[in-house]
């Protein structure tokens, strides 16, 4: 993606007459992806620092410190794990298949939160090793042919294999249509769960890792399985979970993650961030790259499985990861415990990778290192034959709790915590905590922005100046300054999530402010309006125009709300002294749609600077987002862990009576909830 590097001189040279029919500021051929490029540069710089630090670790003590720091950070960012509760496991059916058998299993990873799985058991004499098989992003979960085949191969090779459905797949769709079928794809549902999880300071990965750990509990509890000989292998999304589980669960001795191992540098270049559970808050800024999931578990045996034709998790990234791992394992004296398998194939759990994984498990769990082959004539189950629950979906079980309900229960506890916090904490201290959580510097600490005037359009009774404001290197904010012929001492910063020109039509809201003698500065915040990324669309734009950039910022420990708020503060300060010849103007701020969130945060954090705040069609509560499973358009608006300390109404209340006007507030679905209300 090209960086937006339009120089001020080049912008000033635009033929303004050619733009008179619209209110665009940037030239038509300006490259898109400004925010993505800005965040990528920050990510690559952080990854460079991490690599430099990694190359300095040499001694056993340094290695142990590196591993512990990353493990502790990982668990902390996940929000910790629930307590272990009874599995209440049931075997709901058995299928005999010659040299192995399949048992249909259902258990509770949390109370009334069921996991469906197929247990493949060899006909050899027990006890035998057990291998956990997390699924990739297949709609039918454990019934997908590739995951059945690797499980069959493991069983035929003398190992038990437990393949389970993740949330959002197979029998574990968390949102059902009236006909009982899944309402969303797996990646969509994982990210929908992630929206609420992020707000409560957790992650979809926390629930998915916990499911895997409890599945391992079940596998280890089986009398046929030797709990001292456990392994894990999975592909794609299952490769992600294998990587997480092998890093965090010490019971996993042999691991073979497939079609996920890469580096963030290669992933961000090739495809950008993936779905919610594949992004851990602040991990790039902290110095935890994807190779660290392997390094954390060294020197336990790990096989890296990759494919030459994979366009997302590229072969180059996989080799970079393997080199890092090989260096560390060699330093520890166990070079033979990490290896690499490359398939001449696209993104799939191919026969070559399945055989590689099974052979690796035999080598380290059975102490047998031999050639094995996969019998592709072995039949696999049809989807309905693989069902474990009575009606084919766990959400149809009586009293079942969805992942969304689990998040809602956590938010309910946090609501009482928030209420107590705001009751007992002085407002100055409470807002200081808000500032830290959202990641917003004080107005006095923000640098003075560069700006450039690109010309003036004369209208009836006012003029429009086209301006580019640069709050920091690499970020250019297109703006329209509306100046009435006889301006008063009030100015309005106008932020609209659909772009600065949206309300600028003749007779529209901006002209109404001009008719009252007020100066108006309408600005496109980074990633909005003209600066919207019209190139790469993260998951087809399902979760909003800035979703990919949201997760880039998230990996850096930042929020888009925080970045937008700093833009608003910078532009507000610019507006205060714009075209004045004496005292600064009083600055009011209007935020519309999602742009209302930075307007609210800017005013709450700098209440003495802004004279008033108007919110129009803006989200009224983050708690409502957690309680709304289908809040697909809210990803860009959330802040990690915010609901531990504050919700949006807390900020409104902090401003006191008469400071805020709320017009047509909306719920998590974007639907208006009430009429205008001054506060």
């Amino acid at each position: 993606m090209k960086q937006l590097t339009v120089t001020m001189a080049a912008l000033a040279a635009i033929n303004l007459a050619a733009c008179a029919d619209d209110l665009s500021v940037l030239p038509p051929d300006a490259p898109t992806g400004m925010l993505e490029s800005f965040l990528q540069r920050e990510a690559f710089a952080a990854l460079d620092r991490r690599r430099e630090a990694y190359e300095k670790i040499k001694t056993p003590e340094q290695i142990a410190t590196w591993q512990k720091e990353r493990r502790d950070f990982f668990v902390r960012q996940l929000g910790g794990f629930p307590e272990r509760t009874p599995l209440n496991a049931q075997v709901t059916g058995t299928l005999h298949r010659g040299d192995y058998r399949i048992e249909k299993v259902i258990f509770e990873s949390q109370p009334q939160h069921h996991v469906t799985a197929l247990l493949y058991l060899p006909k050899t004499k027990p006890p035998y090793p057990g291998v956990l098989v997390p699924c990739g992003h297949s709609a039918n979960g454990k019934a997908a042919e590739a995951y059945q085949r690797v499980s069959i191969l493991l069983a035929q090779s003398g190992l038990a294999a437990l393949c389970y459905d993740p949330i959002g797949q197979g029998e574990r769709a968390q949102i059902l249509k009236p006909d009982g079928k899944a309402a969303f794809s797996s990646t969509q549902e994982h990210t929908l769960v992630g929206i609420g999880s992020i707000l409560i300071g957790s992650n979809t990965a926390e629930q998915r890792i916990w499911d895997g750990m409890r599945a391992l509990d079940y596998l280890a509890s089986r009398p046929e399985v030797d709990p001292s000989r456990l392994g894990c292998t999975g592909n794609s999304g299952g490769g992600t979970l294998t990587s997480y589980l092998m890093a965090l669960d010490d019971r996993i001795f042999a691991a073979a993650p497939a079609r996920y191992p890469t580096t963030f540098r290669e992933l961000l270049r090739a495809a950008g961030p993936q779905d919610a559970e594949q992004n851990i808050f602040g991990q790039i800024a902290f110095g935890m790259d994807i190779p660290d999931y392997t390094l954390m578990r060294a020197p336990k045996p790990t096989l890296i499985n990759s494919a030459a034709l994979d366009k997302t998790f590229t072969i180059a990234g996989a080799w970079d990861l393997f080199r890092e791992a090989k260096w560390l394992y060699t330093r520890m004296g166990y070079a033979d415990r990490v290896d690499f398998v490359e398939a001449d194939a696209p993104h799939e759990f191919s026969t070559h990778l399945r055989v590689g994984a099974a052979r690796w498990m035999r080598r380290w769990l059975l102490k047998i290192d031999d050639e094995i082959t996969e019998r592709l004539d072995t039949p696999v189950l049809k989807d309905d034959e693989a069902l474990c629950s009575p009606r084919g979906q766990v959400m149809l079980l009586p009293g079942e709790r969805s992942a969304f309900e689990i998040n809602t229960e956590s938010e309910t506890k946090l609501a009482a915590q928030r209420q107590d916090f705001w009751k007992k904490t002085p407002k100055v201290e409470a807002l200081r905590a808000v500032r830290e959580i959202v990641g917003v510097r004080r107005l006095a600490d923000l640098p003075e922005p560069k700006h450039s005037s690109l010309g003036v359009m004369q209208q009836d009774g006012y003029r429009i100046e086209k301006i580019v404001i640069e709050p920091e290197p690499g970020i250019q904010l297109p703006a329209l300054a509306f100046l009435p012929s006889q301006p008063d001492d009030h100015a309005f910063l106008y932020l609209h999530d659909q772009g600065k020109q949206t309300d600028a039509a003749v007779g529209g809201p901006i002209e109404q402010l001009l008719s009252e003698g007020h100066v108006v500065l309408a600005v496109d915040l980074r990633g909005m309006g003209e600066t919207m990324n019209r190139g790469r669309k993260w998951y087809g734009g399902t979760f909003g125009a800035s979703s990919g950039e949201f997760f880039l910022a998230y990996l850096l420990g930042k929020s888009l709300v925080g970045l937008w708020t700093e833009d608003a503060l910078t532009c507000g300060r610019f507006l205060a002294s714009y075209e004045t010849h004496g005292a600064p103007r009083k600055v009011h701020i209007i935020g519309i749609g999602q742009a209302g969130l930075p307007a609210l945060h800017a005013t709450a954090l700098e209440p003495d600077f802004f004279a008033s705040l108007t919110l129009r069609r803006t989200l009224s509560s983050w708690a409502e987002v957690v309680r709304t499973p289908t809040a697909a358009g809210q990803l860009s608006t959330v802040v990690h862990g915010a609901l531990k300390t504050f919700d949006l109404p807390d900020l409104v209340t902090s401003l006191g009576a008469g400071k805020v006007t709320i017009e047509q507030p909306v719920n998590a679905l974007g639907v208006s909830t009430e009429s205008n209300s001054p506060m």
Side-chain angles (χ1 to χ4, degrees):
M1 192 66 62
K2 292 183 178 179
Q3 176 190 350
L4 178 57
T5 54
V6 183
T7 67
M8 297 301 175
L11 286 170
I14 298 171
N15 185 342
L16 195 59
C19 302
D21 293 335
D22 61 42
L23 294 175
S24 299
V25 173
L26 301 179
D29 60 348
T32 63
M34 174 192 71
L35 180 53
E36 181 183 31
S37 296
F38 172 82
L39 293 169
Q40 273 192 353
R41 287 194 301 276
E42 289 205 354
F44 293 159
L47 291 169
D48 287 342
R49 292 191 294 272
R50 180 252 172 211
R51 182 59 179 264
E52 290 173 5
Y54 162 74
E55 291 178 350
K56 293 177 182 177
I57 60 173
K58 307 289 184 182
T59 68
E61 294 78 14
Q62 290 171 332
I63 292 171
T65 297
W66 181 276
Q67 292 173 318
K68 185 179 187 305
E69 286 175 347
R70 278 147 187 78
R71 272 197 180 197
D72 291 348
F73 172 82
F74 195 3
V75 174
R76 186 166 64 249
Q77 299 308 88
L78 291 173
F81 294 112
E83 63 175 332
R84 274 185 162 80
T85 51
L87 290 169
N88 297 324
Q90 305 173 53
V91 175
T92 62
T94 302
L95 302 171
H96 293 277
R97 289 294 188 267
D99 54 353
Y100 66 96
R101 76 177 188 271
I102 304 172
E103 292 189 4
K104 300 180 177 183
V105 177
I106 184 167
F107 62 87
E108 296 178 30
S109 62
Q110 298 185 61
Q112 294 300 112
H113 185 66
H114 288 87
V115 179
T116 43
L118 296 176
L119 177 63
Y120 298 74
L121 296 167
K123 287 295 181 69
T124 55
K125 183 179 179 180
Y128 25 71
V131 179
L132 189 66
V133 183
C135 290
H137 289 123
S138 54
N140 55 352
K142 64 188 180 306
E145 181 174 349
Y147 308 133
Q148 288 194 59
R149 291 212 173 276
V150 73
S151 302
I152 291 168
L153 180 59
L154 288 163
Q156 291 174 333
S157 300
L159 305 101
L162 181 68
C163 185
Y164 64 97
D165 285 327
I167 55 172
Q169 297 170 241
E171 298 178 71
R172 298 189 67 208
Q174 304 292 286
I175 307 175
L176 301 178
K177 295 186 291 187
D179 62 2
K181 304 295 184 182
F184 295 92
S185 72
S186 59
T187 53
Q188 288 176 328
E189 189 167 281
H190 293 172
T191 301
L192 285 171
V193 173
I195 293 170
S197 299
I198 288 166
L199 281 167
I200 62 174
S202 181
N203 190 291
T204 304
E206 180 267 331
Q207 292 197 38
R208 292 204 53 196
I209 291 169
W210 189 243
D211 284 345
M213 288 180 169
R214 299 313 314 274
L216 203 62
D217 287 346
Y218 175 76
L219 182 61
S221 75
R222 291 289 301 227
E224 306 94 333
V225 173
D226 180 353
S228 68
R229 293 184 291 162
L230 298 176
C232 186
T233 186
N235 174 70
S236 189
T240 305
L241 264 294
T242 298
S243 298
Y244 291 172
L245 288 164
M246 73 186 192
L248 295 176
D249 199 314
D250 288 330
R251 294 174 294 177
I252 297 172
F253 181 65
R259 295 313 325 110
Y260 168 73
T262 185
T263 64
F264 267 122
R265 185 180 298 275
E266 282 298 317
L267 180 61
L268 298 183
R269 284 172 173 168
Q274 301 300 291
D275 54 308
E277 77 267 22
Q278 294 178 317
N279 306 293
I280 308 303
F281 181 61
Q283 70 179 104
I284 289 180
F286 179 81
M288 188 174 82
D289 198 355
I290 294 172
D292 285 306
Y293 304 131
T294 300
L295 304 185
M296 276 184 233
R297 70 187 313 269
K300 292 180 179 177
T302 308
L303 180 70
I304 306 303
N305 293 269
S306 191
L309 305 181
D310 196 318
K311 295 182 179 179
T312 300
F313 303 101
T314 65
I315 193 66
W319 275 109
D320 286 345
L321 180 152
F322 175 63
R323 291 187 191 99
E324 281 200 17
K326 196 70 167 179
W327 292 341
L328 190 76
Y329 275 69
T330 301
R331 291 169 194 165
M332 300 178 79
Y334 296 95
D336 63 325
R337 289 192 176 188
V338 64
D339 212 337
F340 193 94
V341 173
E342 178 178 343
D344 184 19
H347 185 85
E348 63 184 23
F349 206 5
S350 62
T351 296
H352 189 65
L353 298 183
R354 297 195 296 264
V355 168
R359 182 174 177 181
W360 188 254
M361 297 301 162
R362 282 174 61 82
R363 175 180 174 184
W364 292 105
L365 301 179
L366 285 172
K367 304 301 181 184
I368 301 172
D369 193 2
D370 59 357
E371 296 288 344
I372 61 173
T373 57
E374 183 177 47
R375 304 202 311 259
L376 293 176
D377 59 343
T378 303
V380 298
L381 303 177
K382 297 178 181 178
D383 285 7
D384 59 346
E385 294 175 319
L387 296 177
C388 305
S389 60
R391 299 169 64 188
Q393 286 292 342
V394 296
M395 287 307 301
L396 299 176
L397 294 172
E400 183 71 2
R401 298 160 67 228
S402 71
F404 298 98
E405 289 172 300
I406 290 171
N407 280 347
T408 297
E409 291 167 8
S410 296
E411 192 284 318
T412 299
K413 295 175 182 177
L414 291 177
Q417 178 179 309
R418 291 194 304 272
Q419 184 178 16
D420 189 59
F421 173 80
W422 284 88
K423 181 179 179 181
K424 296 180 178 179
T425 307
K427 186 167 70 171
V428 172
E429 292 182 21
L431 291 173
R432 187 180 298 122
V434 171
R435 185 185 295 278
E436 183 176 348
I437 291 165
V438 182
V440 179
R441 290 169 288 181
R442 295 186 311 128
L443 180 58
D445 295 332
L446 292 172
E448 287 288 341
K450 297 179 181 178
H451 70 278
S452 178
S453 174
L454 309 182
V456 175
M457 298 171 60
Q458 191 63 49
Q459 303 294 319
D460 186 15
Y462 65 93
R463 69 183 190 276
I464 305 172
E465 185 173 11
K466 295 189 174 187
I467 300 171
V468 170
I469 299 171
E470 186 175 343
E472 57 185 318
I475 295 295
Q476 293 88 22
L477 307 179
L480 297 171
F482 297 82
L483 294 105
S485 55
Q486 294 184 327
D488 60 14
D489 61 352
H490 293 268
F492 283 76
L493 179 61
Y494 205 95
L495 308 176
H496 199 303
D497 62 358
Q498 298 303 304
K500 63 194 173 304
Q501 77 292 339
T502 305
D503 286 348
V506 174
I510 290 178
E511 273 208 351
Q512 178 61 40
L513 292 169
L514 291 169
S515 69
E516 297 168 3
H518 309 317
V519 174
V520 179
L521 181 69
V523 182
D524 286 337
L525 302 177
R526 64 183 78 189
M528 296 185 184
E530 288 188 75
T531 69
M532 183 186 300
N533 191 344
R534 291 175 173 81
R536 182 150 58 197
K537 292 294 184 183
W538 192 84
Y539 282 104
T542 302
F543 295 95
S546 298
S547 299
E549 288 87 346
F550 169 84
F551 273 126
L552 259 175
Y554 189 76
L555 288 164
L556 289 163
K558 300 182 178 185
S559 68
L560 288 186
V561 171
L563 295 173
W564 289 337
T565 300
E566 289 197 349
D567 287 347
L569 290 171
T570 299
C571 292
R573 185 171 58 188
F574 169 82
L575 176 59
S577 58
Y578 174 70
E579 290 286 317
T580 60
H581 303 287
R585 289 191 175 89
K586 297 180 179 67
V587 177
H588 307 256
I589 186 168
I590 297 174
I592 301 171
Q594 292 189 356
L597 276 85
L600 172 59
H601 283 80
T603 309
L605 295 176
E606 300 287 348
D608 294 333
F609 179 79
F610 291 101
S612 73
L613 166 67
T614 299
L615 300 176
R616 189 176 302 147
R617 297 191 298 278
T618 294
L619 179 69
S620 58
S621 167
W622 276 327
E624 173 73 15
V625 172
V626 180
R627 294 191 291 264
T628 307
T630 54
Q634 298 297 340
L635 179 61
S636 298
T637 72
V638 301
V639 174
H640 187 83
L643 287 176
K644 290 182 176 182
T645 303
F646 74 103
D647 197 357
L648 303 177
D650 295 317
L651 300 185
V652 173
T653 301
S654 75
L655 290 168
K659 183 91 170 189
V660 187
T661 298
I662 299 177
E663 301 174 354
Q664 302 172 355
V666 299
N667 61 19
L669 298 175
V671 177
S672 181
T673 58
E674 59 184 81
S675 58
N676 301 350
S677 58
M679 297 188 67

